[in-house]
Amino acid sequence: MTNLKKAILLLIGALFVFGGKDAMAQANKSNTGTSGDQSKQEKATSSKAKAKDKKAAETTTNTNRKAKSTTTVDKAGNKSHTQAWDSKTKIEKDKPEKASSTK
Amino acid sequence: MASSLLYKAQTRWLFHAHIKLKLSAFWDESVFDELFAVMETINERYNSYSKGSFIDQINRQAGSFVNTDATTATLLKRLNDLSDDLAGEYDITVMPLIRLWGFYKTSAWRIPSDDEIRTALLQVGYRRIQIEGTKVAIEKDQEIITGSFVKAFAVDEVAKLMRAAGITDAIINAGGSSICALNNDSHPYWQVEVNDTEDEDHTLFLLQLANQCYSTSSNENTFLEIEGKRYGHIISPKTGYPSENRQVGIISQDALTGDVLSTGLFNCNKATFLRRMEFLSNKYGVEGFLIDKSGDIVFSRNFKKYIIR
């Protein structure tokens, strides 16, 4: 394993420790569920995104579904699920990034 | 002028947006998995739309305290401070108004009555979020929406990770609305193209950023059409009505501050925007512009120094 990879895994581990996995599990346990299923609501969002954006989004989502999940364990013993994506890496030149509001 | 440097780039779908990471071709592409994993973790823990996230738990248990974590508590306090700086024009509890206007419906949109808006406004108020240590509670009928900041928070965390790992020439483009540039001596600037929301083929200007972020808000992609009129999704938590401005752009040191300020300032008129920018530029070192509904544009004091074309 390269030093860079080790550094990155340690930092991800630190985020998990900082984030408090136990607290999240505890919060989930005590969930009484009163406000409905937000993920369904998100799907129903009436945003009128342009058709080409929707198509692009669907394509990406389908690609994402092919992801394989792997589990890594940091030094503190925290497990994290990292997905090994199929996403293709593109080689790009230095060119301007386009800004566009999605929020 | 763009350099001849080469980069590796990957784009994935997270936070309901395309997230692009582009870094020097020197790096092995396995780095992308690790960087995107950080974003996935944030999505899982802090996105109100992620079932079981801390924010989802707070919403579902409205009226009771929920055990969260230090990150959630710190983040909510920071957002409340920014809301104070924006005199309440930004409010993460604005969700009842967004629902009222029909942004979560697929049909039967209509303009809410004044009474309905007044009732919904009673449920909005970030100052009523209680934070005690890592315990957080909102009032019954309140709801937090993270759409205006969680993506930017993830961008900042990935940028921190990149810097810690020695990645100093990279750009993160989160859905076009949050862009973070990392630069070093070999590549001192990244360029960002800002287009007219009314005509996407028309470039308004090209910005040059060095270790800075650019955030933008508009109604370009998310709006409702009711009785032939377009209503945007950014709703003033003070009036209860959608802003009619066209676009706000903010250059900032971190993506979260930029995203929150661009959303809140989108609810301001030109005079208020300029007045608030004087204060915000001094406090956060931010610069920005606003285009109002009639197409008039105003700039903060030093924004134009970033425009190269």
PDB file of all heavy atoms in Angstrom, chain B residues 182-214:
ATOM      1  N   LEU B 182      -8.192  23.979  -6.253  1.00  0.00           N
ATOM      2  CA  LEU B 182      -6.959  23.799  -5.478  1.00  0.00           C
ATOM      3  C   LEU B 182      -5.793  24.102  -6.423  1.00  0.00           C
ATOM      4  O   LEU B 182      -5.722  23.529  -7.507  1.00  0.00           O
ATOM      5  CB  LEU B 182      -6.833  22.370  -4.953  1.00  0.00           C
ATOM      6  CG  LEU B 182      -7.612  22.002  -3.696  1.00  0.00           C
ATOM      7  CD1 LEU B 182      -9.093  21.839  -3.996  1.00  0.00           C
ATOM      8  CD2 LEU B 182      -7.086  20.704  -3.102  1.00  0.00           C
ATOM      9  N   ASN B 183      -4.935  24.966  -5.999  1.00  0.00           N
ATOM     10  CA  ASN B 183      -3.843  25.389  -6.880  1.00  0.00           C
ATOM     11  C   ASN B 183      -2.485  25.331  -6.199  1.00  0.00           C
ATOM     12  O   ASN B 183      -2.395  25.426  -4.976  1.00  0.00           O
ATOM     13  CB  ASN B 183      -4.087  26.828  -7.348  1.00  0.00           C
ATOM     14  CG  ASN B 183      -5.360  26.954  -8.147  1.00  0.00           C
ATOM     15  OD1 ASN B 183      -6.433  27.191  -7.599  1.00  0.00           O
ATOM     16  ND2 ASN B 183      -5.250  26.752  -9.433  1.00  0.00           N
ATOM     17  N   ASN B 184      -1.468  25.182  -7.030  1.00  0.00           N
ATOM     18  CA  ASN B 184      -0.092  25.258  -6.535  1.00  0.00           C
ATOM     19  C   ASN B 184       0.722  26.175  -7.467  1.00  0.00           C
ATOM     20  O   ASN B 184       0.162  26.753  -8.403  1.00  0.00           O
ATOM     21  CB  ASN B 184       0.522  23.862  -6.427  1.00  0.00           C
ATOM     22  CG  ASN B 184       0.504  23.109  -7.752  1.00  0.00           C
ATOM     23  OD1 ASN B 184       0.482  23.717  -8.823  1.00  0.00           O
ATOM     24  ND2 ASN B 184       0.506  21.789  -7.680  1.00  0.00           N
ATOM     25  N   ASP B 185       2.002  26.261  -7.225  1.00  0.00           N
ATOM     26  CA  ASP B 185       2.824  27.184  -8.010  1.00  0.00           C
ATOM     27  C   ASP B 185       2.870  26.811  -9.492  1.00  0.00           C
ATOM     28  O   ASP B 185       2.999  27.675 -10.360  1.00  0.00           O
ATOM     29  CB  ASP B 185       4.263  27.215  -7.463  1.00  0.00           C
ATOM     30  CG  ASP B 185       4.310  27.861  -6.091  1.00  0.00           C
ATOM     31  OD1 ASP B 185       3.335  28.558  -5.741  1.00  0.00           O
ATOM     32  OD2 ASP B 185       5.303  27.661  -5.359  1.00  0.00           O
ATOM     33  N   SER B 186       2.782  25.505  -9.788  1.00  0.00           N
ATOM     34  CA  SER B 186       2.839  25.074 -11.189  1.00  0.00           C
ATOM     35  C   SER B 186       1.555  25.392 -11.935  1.00  0.00           C
ATOM     36  O   SER B 186       1.530  25.476 -13.159  1.00  0.00           O
ATOM     37  CB  SER B 186       3.067  23.567 -11.272  1.00  0.00           C
ATOM     38  OG  SER B 186       4.164  23.209 -10.497  1.00  0.00           O
ATOM     39  N   HIS B 187       0.475  25.499 -11.202  1.00  0.00           N
ATOM     40  CA  HIS B 187      -0.825  25.790 -11.822  1.00  0.00           C
ATOM     41  C   HIS B 187      -1.572  26.761 -10.896  1.00  0.00           C
ATOM     42  O   HIS B 187      -2.415  26.356 -10.106  1.00  0.00           O
ATOM     43  CB  HIS B 187      -1.615  24.489 -12.021  1.00  0.00           C
ATOM     44  CG  HIS B 187      -2.880  24.699 -12.782  1.00  0.00           C
ATOM     45  ND1 HIS B 187      -4.057  24.093 -12.431  1.00  0.00           N
ATOM     46  CD2 HIS B 187      -3.153  25.451 -13.879  1.00  0.00           C
ATOM     47  CE1 HIS B 187      -5.001  24.467 -13.277  1.00  0.00           C
ATOM     48  NE2 HIS B 187      -4.487  25.276 -14.162  1.00  0.00           N
ATOM     49  N   PRO B 188      -1.238  28.033 -11.002  1.00  0.00           N
ATOM     50  CA  PRO B 188      -1.721  28.993  -9.998  1.00  0.00           C
ATOM     51  C   PRO B 188      -3.204  29.360 -10.076  1.00  0.00           C
ATOM     52  O   PRO B 188      -3.732  29.934  -9.134  1.00  0.00           O
ATOM     53  CB  PRO B 188      -0.853  30.230 -10.252  1.00  0.00           C
ATOM     54  CG  PRO B 188      -0.325  30.070 -11.621  1.00  0.00           C
ATOM     55  CD  PRO B 188      -0.267  28.626 -11.942  1.00  0.00           C
ATOM     56  N   TYR B 189      -3.888  29.057 -11.187  1.00  0.00           N
ATOM     57  CA  TYR B 189      -5.304  29.434 -11.306  1.00  0.00           C
ATOM     58  C   TYR B 189      -6.128  28.358 -11.995  1.00  0.00           C
ATOM     59  O   TYR B 189      -5.624  27.651 -12.858  1.00  0.00           O
ATOM     60  CB  TYR B 189      -5.462  30.712 -12.153  1.00  0.00           C
ATOM     61  CG  TYR B 189      -4.722  31.895 -11.605  1.00  0.00           C
ATOM     62  CD1 TYR B 189      -3.519  32.297 -12.174  1.00  0.00           C
ATOM     63  CD2 TYR B 189      -5.235  32.610 -10.522  1.00  0.00           C
ATOM     64  CE1 TYR B 189      -2.831  33.390 -11.676  1.00  0.00           C
ATOM     65  CE2 TYR B 189      -4.552  33.702 -10.014  1.00  0.00           C
ATOM     66  CZ  TYR B 189      -3.351  34.075 -10.597  1.00  0.00           C
ATOM     67  OH  TYR B 189      -2.677  35.150 -10.099  1.00  0.00           O
ATOM     68  N   TRP B 190      -7.393  28.282 -11.618  1.00  0.00           N
ATOM     69  CA  TRP B 190      -8.390  27.535 -12.401  1.00  0.00           C
ATOM     70  C   TRP B 190      -9.384  28.562 -12.924  1.00  0.00           C
ATOM     71  O   TRP B 190      -9.639  29.581 -12.265  1.00  0.00           O
ATOM     72  CB  TRP B 190      -9.144  26.520 -11.530  1.00  0.00           C
ATOM     73  CG  TRP B 190      -8.399  25.251 -11.284  1.00  0.00           C
ATOM     74  CD1 TRP B 190      -7.695  24.924 -10.166  1.00  0.00           C
ATOM     75  CD2 TRP B 190      -8.310  24.138 -12.164  1.00  0.00           C
ATOM     76  NE1 TRP B 190      -7.156  23.671 -10.291  1.00  0.00           N
ATOM     77  CE2 TRP B 190      -7.520  23.159 -11.506  1.00  0.00           C
ATOM     78  CE3 TRP B 190      -8.805  23.845 -13.435  1.00  0.00           C
ATOM     79  CZ2 TRP B 190      -7.221  21.925 -12.081  1.00  0.00           C
ATOM     80  CZ3 TRP B 190      -8.502  22.617 -14.002  1.00  0.00           C
ATOM     81  CH2 TRP B 190      -7.725  21.673 -13.336  1.00  0.00           C
ATOM     82  N   GLN B 191      -9.949  28.251 -14.089  1.00  0.00           N
ATOM     83  CA  GLN B 191     -10.943  29.160 -14.664  1.00  0.00           C
ATOM     84  C   GLN B 191     -12.347  28.586 -14.508  1.00  0.00           C
ATOM     85  O   GLN B 191     -12.549  27.368 -14.658  1.00  0.00           O
ATOM     86  CB  GLN B 191     -10.639  29.395 -16.147  1.00  0.00           C
ATOM     87  CG  GLN B 191      -9.347  30.173 -16.338  1.00  0.00           C
ATOM     88  CD  GLN B 191      -8.963  30.316 -17.791  1.00  0.00           C
ATOM     89  OE1 GLN B 191      -9.615  29.805 -18.691  1.00  0.00           O
ATOM     90  NE2 GLN B 191      -7.860  31.027 -18.020  1.00  0.00           N
ATOM     91  N   VAL B 192     -13.297  29.444 -14.227  1.00  0.00           N
ATOM     92  CA  VAL B 192     -14.698  29.044 -14.092  1.00  0.00           C
ATOM     93  C   VAL B 192     -15.550  29.906 -15.014  1.00  0.00           C
ATOM     94  O   VAL B 192     -15.434  31.133 -15.012  1.00  0.00           O
ATOM     95  CB  VAL B 192     -15.177  29.194 -12.624  1.00  0.00           C
ATOM     96  CG1 VAL B 192     -16.681  28.964 -12.523  1.00  0.00           C
ATOM     97  CG2 VAL B 192     -14.432  28.242 -11.710  1.00  0.00           C
ATOM     98  N   GLU B 193     -16.377  29.214 -15.807  1.00  0.00           N
ATOM     99  CA  GLU B 193     -17.222  29.921 -16.782  1.00  0.00           C
ATOM    100  C   GLU B 193     -18.605  30.152 -16.183  1.00  0.00           C
ATOM    101  O   GLU B 193     -19.256  29.197 -15.756  1.00  0.00           O
ATOM    102  CB  GLU B 193     -17.314  29.054 -18.043  1.00  0.00           C
ATOM    103  CG  GLU B 193     -18.023  29.669 -19.197  1.00  0.00           C
ATOM    104  CD  GLU B 193     -18.064  28.701 -20.379  1.00  0.00           C
ATOM    105  OE1 GLU B 193     -16.995  28.207 -20.812  1.00  0.00           O
ATOM    106  OE2 GLU B 193     -19.179  28.417 -20.836  1.00  0.00           O
ATOM    107  N   VAL B 194     -19.032  31.376 -16.156  1.00  0.00           N
ATOM    108  CA  VAL B 194     -20.352  31.723 -15.614  1.00  0.00           C
ATOM    109  C   VAL B 194     -21.255  32.119 -16.775  1.00  0.00           C
ATOM    110  O   VAL B 194     -20.932  33.042 -17.531  1.00  0.00           O
ATOM    111  CB  VAL B 194     -20.257  32.888 -14.602  1.00  0.00           C
ATOM    112  CG1 VAL B 194     -21.636  33.259 -14.077  1.00  0.00           C
ATOM    113  CG2 VAL B 194     -19.330  32.505 -13.446  1.00  0.00           C
ATOM    114  N   ASN B 195     -22.354  31.375 -16.913  1.00  0.00           N
ATOM    115  CA  ASN B 195     -23.253  31.629 -18.042  1.00  0.00           C
ATOM    116  C   ASN B 195     -24.519  32.362 -17.612  1.00  0.00           C
ATOM    117  O   ASN B 195     -24.891  32.359 -16.443  1.00  0.00           O
ATOM    118  CB  ASN B 195     -23.634  30.299 -18.713  1.00  0.00           C
ATOM    119  CG  ASN B 195     -22.441  29.667 -19.384  1.00  0.00           C
ATOM    120  OD1 ASN B 195     -21.568  30.367 -19.900  1.00  0.00           O
ATOM    121  ND2 ASN B 195     -22.364  28.360 -19.351  1.00  0.00           N
ATOM    122  N   ASP B 196     -25.168  32.938 -18.598  1.00  0.00           N
ATOM    123  CA  ASP B 196     -26.448  33.608 -18.397  1.00  0.00           C
ATOM    124  C   ASP B 196     -27.515  32.526 -18.191  1.00  0.00           C
ATOM    125  O   ASP B 196     -27.650  31.628 -19.025  1.00  0.00           O
ATOM    126  CB  ASP B 196     -26.747  34.431 -19.667  1.00  0.00           C
ATOM    127  CG  ASP B 196     -27.988  35.271 -19.525  1.00  0.00           C
ATOM    128  OD1 ASP B 196     -28.733  35.069 -18.550  1.00  0.00           O
ATOM    129  OD2 ASP B 196     -28.212  36.133 -20.398  1.00  0.00           O
ATOM    130  N   THR B 197     -28.269  32.612 -17.113  1.00  0.00           N
ATOM    131  CA  THR B 197     -29.279  31.569 -16.855  1.00  0.00           C
ATOM    132  C   THR B 197     -30.423  31.627 -17.870  1.00  0.00           C
ATOM    133  O   THR B 197     -31.136  30.657 -18.056  1.00  0.00           O
ATOM    134  CB  THR B 197     -29.875  31.717 -15.441  1.00  0.00           C
ATOM    135  OG1 THR B 197     -30.351  33.055 -15.278  1.00  0.00           O
ATOM    136  CG2 THR B 197     -28.846  31.419 -14.369  1.00  0.00           C
ATOM    137  N   GLU B 198     -30.582  32.751 -18.522  1.00  0.00           N
ATOM    138  CA  GLU B 198     -31.653  32.873 -19.530  1.00  0.00           C
ATOM    139  C   GLU B 198     -31.188  32.352 -20.894  1.00  0.00           C
ATOM    140  O   GLU B 198     -32.002  32.072 -21.760  1.00  0.00           O
ATOM    141  CB  GLU B 198     -32.072  34.345 -19.678  1.00  0.00           C
ATOM    142  CG  GLU B 198     -32.521  34.990 -18.383  1.00  0.00           C
ATOM    143  CD  GLU B 198     -33.828  34.425 -17.849  1.00  0.00           C
ATOM    144  OE1 GLU B 198     -34.823  34.457 -18.587  1.00  0.00           O
ATOM    145  OE2 GLU B 198     -33.844  33.963 -16.696  1.00  0.00           O
ATOM    146  N   ASP B 199     -29.886  32.267 -21.069  1.00  0.00           N
ATOM    147  CA  ASP B 199     -29.337  31.805 -22.344  1.00  0.00           C
ATOM    148  C   ASP B 199     -27.992  31.124 -22.053  1.00  0.00           C
ATOM    149  O   ASP B 199     -26.947  31.781 -21.979  1.00  0.00           O
ATOM    150  CB  ASP B 199     -29.139  33.007 -23.299  1.00  0.00           C
ATOM    151  CG  ASP B 199     -28.438  32.612 -24.594  1.00  0.00           C
ATOM    152  OD1 ASP B 199     -28.276  31.392 -24.835  1.00  0.00           O
ATOM    153  OD2 ASP B 199     -28.050  33.520 -25.356  1.00  0.00           O
ATOM    154  N   GLU B 200     -28.054  29.798 -21.899  1.00  0.00           N
ATOM    155  CA  GLU B 200     -26.861  29.086 -21.420  1.00  0.00           C
ATOM    156  C   GLU B 200     -25.687  29.117 -22.409  1.00  0.00           C
ATOM    157  O   GLU B 200     -24.559  28.803 -22.050  1.00  0.00           O
ATOM    158  CB  GLU B 200     -27.195  27.645 -21.040  1.00  0.00           C
ATOM    159  CG  GLU B 200     -27.666  26.780 -22.183  1.00  0.00           C
ATOM    160  CD  GLU B 200     -27.975  25.357 -21.714  1.00  0.00           C
ATOM    161  OE1 GLU B 200     -28.244  25.159 -20.524  1.00  0.00           O
ATOM    162  OE2 GLU B 200     -27.950  24.470 -22.576  1.00  0.00           O
ATOM    163  N   ASP B 201     -25.952  29.487 -23.650  1.00  0.00           N
ATOM    164  CA  ASP B 201     -24.852  29.598 -24.616  1.00  0.00           C
ATOM    165  C   ASP B 201     -24.111  30.930 -24.487  1.00  0.00           C
ATOM    166  O   ASP B 201     -23.078  31.140 -25.115  1.00  0.00           O
ATOM    167  CB  ASP B 201     -25.386  29.451 -26.045  1.00  0.00           C
ATOM    168  CG  ASP B 201     -25.923  28.050 -26.294  1.00  0.00           C
ATOM    169  OD1 ASP B 201     -25.372  27.105 -25.690  1.00  0.00           O
ATOM    170  OD2 ASP B 201     -26.893  27.899 -27.054  1.00  0.00           O
ATOM    171  N   HIS B 202     -24.698  31.826 -23.703  1.00  0.00           N
ATOM    172  CA  HIS B 202     -24.078  33.143 -23.537  1.00  0.00           C
ATOM    173  C   HIS B 202     -23.240  33.171 -22.257  1.00  0.00           C
ATOM    174  O   HIS B 202     -23.780  33.067 -21.154  1.00  0.00           O
ATOM    175  CB  HIS B 202     -25.173  34.221 -23.495  1.00  0.00           C
ATOM    176  CG  HIS B 202     -24.650  35.590 -23.211  1.00  0.00           C
ATOM    177  ND1 HIS B 202     -25.264  36.456 -22.355  1.00  0.00           N
ATOM    178  CD2 HIS B 202     -23.528  36.234 -23.650  1.00  0.00           C
ATOM    179  CE1 HIS B 202     -24.574  37.569 -22.271  1.00  0.00           C
ATOM    180  NE2 HIS B 202     -23.511  37.468 -23.066  1.00  0.00           N
ATOM    181  N   THR B 203     -21.936  33.259 -22.428  1.00  0.00           N
ATOM    182  CA  THR B 203     -21.048  33.334 -21.259  1.00  0.00           C
ATOM    183  C   THR B 203     -21.032  34.764 -20.733  1.00  0.00           C
ATOM    184  O   THR B 203     -20.748  35.701 -21.485  1.00  0.00           O
ATOM    185  CB  THR B 203     -19.618  32.906 -21.655  1.00  0.00           C
ATOM    186  OG1 THR B 203     -19.676  31.565 -22.149  1.00  0.00           O
ATOM    187  CG2 THR B 203     -18.681  32.948 -20.446  1.00  0.00           C
ATOM    188  N   LEU B 204     -21.360  34.901 -19.471  1.00  0.00           N
ATOM    189  CA  LEU B 204     -21.342  36.239 -18.860  1.00  0.00           C
ATOM    190  C   LEU B 204     -19.911  36.676 -18.602  1.00  0.00           C
ATOM    191  O   LEU B 204     -19.524  37.790 -18.938  1.00  0.00           O
ATOM    192  CB  LEU B 204     -22.100  36.231 -17.524  1.00  0.00           C
ATOM    193  CG  LEU B 204     -23.613  36.119 -17.580  1.00  0.00           C
ATOM    194  CD1 LEU B 204     -24.167  36.007 -16.167  1.00  0.00           C
ATOM    195  CD2 LEU B 204     -24.211  37.346 -18.273  1.00  0.00           C
ATOM    196  N   PHE B 205     -19.161  35.787 -17.967  1.00  0.00           N
ATOM    197  CA  PHE B 205     -17.749  36.079 -17.749  1.00  0.00           C
ATOM    198  C   PHE B 205     -16.981  34.817 -17.355  1.00  0.00           C
ATOM    199  O   PHE B 205     -17.564  33.798 -16.975  1.00  0.00           O
ATOM    200  CB  PHE B 205     -17.514  37.168 -16.703  1.00  0.00           C
ATOM    201  CG  PHE B 205     -18.543  37.292 -15.631  1.00  0.00           C
ATOM    202  CD1 PHE B 205     -18.624  36.355 -14.619  1.00  0.00           C
ATOM    203  CD2 PHE B 205     -19.437  38.349 -15.623  1.00  0.00           C
ATOM    204  CE1 PHE B 205     -19.567  36.483 -13.618  1.00  0.00           C
ATOM    205  CE2 PHE B 205     -20.398  38.471 -14.635  1.00  0.00           C
ATOM    206  CZ  PHE B 205     -20.466  37.543 -13.625  1.00  0.00           C
ATOM    207  N   LEU B 206     -15.674  34.936 -17.507  1.00  0.00           N
ATOM    208  CA  LEU B 206     -14.763  33.866 -17.129  1.00  0.00           C
ATOM    209  C   LEU B 206     -14.027  34.335 -15.884  1.00  0.00           C
ATOM    210  O   LEU B 206     -13.441  35.415 -15.871  1.00  0.00           O
ATOM    211  CB  LEU B 206     -13.778  33.629 -18.278  1.00  0.00           C
ATOM    212  CG  LEU B 206     -13.045  32.302 -18.339  1.00  0.00           C
ATOM    213  CD1 LEU B 206     -14.028  31.130 -18.439  1.00  0.00           C
ATOM    214  CD2 LEU B 206     -12.116  32.281 -19.555  1.00  0.00           C
ATOM    215  N   LEU B 207     -14.091  33.505 -14.834  1.00  0.00           N
ATOM    216  CA  LEU B 207     -13.446  33.882 -13.574  1.00  0.00           C
ATOM    217  C   LEU B 207     -12.132  33.147 -13.417  1.00  0.00           C
ATOM    218  O   LEU B 207     -11.979  32.015 -13.907  1.00  0.00           O
ATOM    219  CB  LEU B 207     -14.354  33.524 -12.394  1.00  0.00           C
ATOM    220  CG  LEU B 207     -15.743  34.146 -12.356  1.00  0.00           C
ATOM    221  CD1 LEU B 207     -16.546  33.562 -11.200  1.00  0.00           C
ATOM    222  CD2 LEU B 207     -15.640  35.661 -12.231  1.00  0.00           C
ATOM    223  N   GLN B 208     -11.220  33.722 -12.686  1.00  0.00           N
ATOM    224  CA  GLN B 208      -9.942  33.082 -12.386  1.00  0.00           C
ATOM    225  C   GLN B 208      -9.834  32.915 -10.869  1.00  0.00           C
ATOM    226  O   GLN B 208      -9.827  33.913 -10.144  1.00  0.00           O
ATOM    227  CB  GLN B 208      -8.822  33.966 -12.914  1.00  0.00           C
ATOM    228  CG  GLN B 208      -7.474  33.273 -12.907  1.00  0.00           C
ATOM    229  CD  GLN B 208      -6.506  33.949 -13.855  1.00  0.00           C
ATOM    230  OE1 GLN B 208      -6.345  33.530 -14.971  1.00  0.00           O
ATOM    231  NE2 GLN B 208      -5.860  34.986 -13.379  1.00  0.00           N
ATOM    232  N   LEU B 209      -9.789  31.659 -10.421  1.00  0.00           N
ATOM    233  CA  LEU B 209      -9.759  31.380  -8.983  1.00  0.00           C
ATOM    234  C   LEU B 209      -8.454  30.709  -8.581  1.00  0.00           C
ATOM    235  O   LEU B 209      -7.931  29.864  -9.318  1.00  0.00           O
ATOM    236  CB  LEU B 209     -10.908  30.458  -8.590  1.00  0.00           C
ATOM    237  CG  LEU B 209     -12.329  30.895  -8.946  1.00  0.00           C
ATOM    238  CD1 LEU B 209     -13.338  29.880  -8.420  1.00  0.00           C
ATOM    239  CD2 LEU B 209     -12.637  32.274  -8.385  1.00  0.00           C
ATOM    240  N   ALA B 210      -7.957  31.065  -7.414  1.00  0.00           N
ATOM    241  CA  ALA B 210      -6.755  30.443  -6.868  1.00  0.00           C
ATOM    242  C   ALA B 210      -7.053  30.000  -5.443  1.00  0.00           C
ATOM    243  O   ALA B 210      -7.217  30.849  -4.564  1.00  0.00           O
ATOM    244  CB  ALA B 210      -5.600  31.431  -6.886  1.00  0.00           C
ATOM    245  N   ASN B 211      -7.155  28.706  -5.235  1.00  0.00           N
ATOM    246  CA  ASN B 211      -7.485  28.156  -3.914  1.00  0.00           C
ATOM    247  C   ASN B 211      -8.733  28.823  -3.332  1.00  0.00           C
ATOM    248  O   ASN B 211      -8.757  29.208  -2.163  1.00  0.00           O
ATOM    249  CB  ASN B 211      -6.288  28.292  -2.965  1.00  0.00           C
ATOM    250  CG  ASN B 211      -5.181  27.339  -3.337  1.00  0.00           C
ATOM    251  OD1 ASN B 211      -5.410  26.133  -3.492  1.00  0.00           O
ATOM    252  ND2 ASN B 211      -3.976  27.858  -3.513  1.00  0.00           N
ATOM    253  N   GLN B 212      -9.733  28.945  -4.169  1.00  0.00           N
ATOM    254  CA  GLN B 212     -11.003  29.554  -3.768  1.00  0.00           C
ATOM    255  C   GLN B 212     -12.163  28.727  -4.311  1.00  0.00           C
ATOM    256  O   GLN B 212     -11.970  27.812  -5.119  1.00  0.00           O
ATOM    257  CB  GLN B 212     -11.100  30.974  -4.342  1.00  0.00           C
ATOM    258  CG  GLN B 212     -10.198  31.969  -3.628  1.00  0.00           C
ATOM    259  CD  GLN B 212      -9.907  33.171  -4.464  1.00  0.00           C
ATOM    260  OE1 GLN B 212      -9.547  33.064  -5.640  1.00  0.00           O
ATOM    261  NE2 GLN B 212     -10.056  34.338  -3.870  1.00  0.00           N
ATOM    262  N   CYS B 213     -13.351  29.095  -3.860  1.00  0.00           N
ATOM    263  CA  CYS B 213     -14.553  28.385  -4.297  1.00  0.00           C
ATOM    264  C   CYS B 213     -15.495  29.353  -4.995  1.00  0.00           C
ATOM    265  O   CYS B 213     -15.473  30.559  -4.719  1.00  0.00           O
ATOM    266  CB  CYS B 213     -15.274  27.773  -3.094  1.00  0.00           C
ATOM    267  SG  CYS B 213     -14.260  26.598  -2.193  1.00  0.00           S
ATOM    268  N   TYR B 214     -16.324  28.803  -5.873  1.00  0.00           N
ATOM    269  CA  TYR B 214     -17.371  29.593  -6.504  1.00  0.00           C
ATOM    270  C   TYR B 214     -18.703  28.886  -6.281  1.00  0.00           C
ATOM    271  O   TYR B 214     -18.820  27.675  -6.520  1.00  0.00           O
ATOM    272  CB  TYR B 214     -17.111  29.755  -8.013  1.00  0.00           C
ATOM    273  CG  TYR B 214     -18.212  30.530  -8.700  1.00  0.00           C
ATOM    274  CD1 TYR B 214     -18.299  31.920  -8.561  1.00  0.00           C
ATOM    275  CD2 TYR B 214     -19.194  29.892  -9.454  1.00  0.00           C
ATOM    276  CE1 TYR B 214     -19.332  32.632  -9.151  1.00  0.00           C
ATOM    277  CE2 TYR B 214     -20.220  30.595 -10.050  1.00  0.00           C
ATOM    278  CZ  TYR B 214     -20.283  31.965  -9.893  1.00  0.00           C
ATOM    279  OH  TYR B 214     -21.308  32.679 -10.464  1.00  0.00           O
TER     280      TYR B 214
END
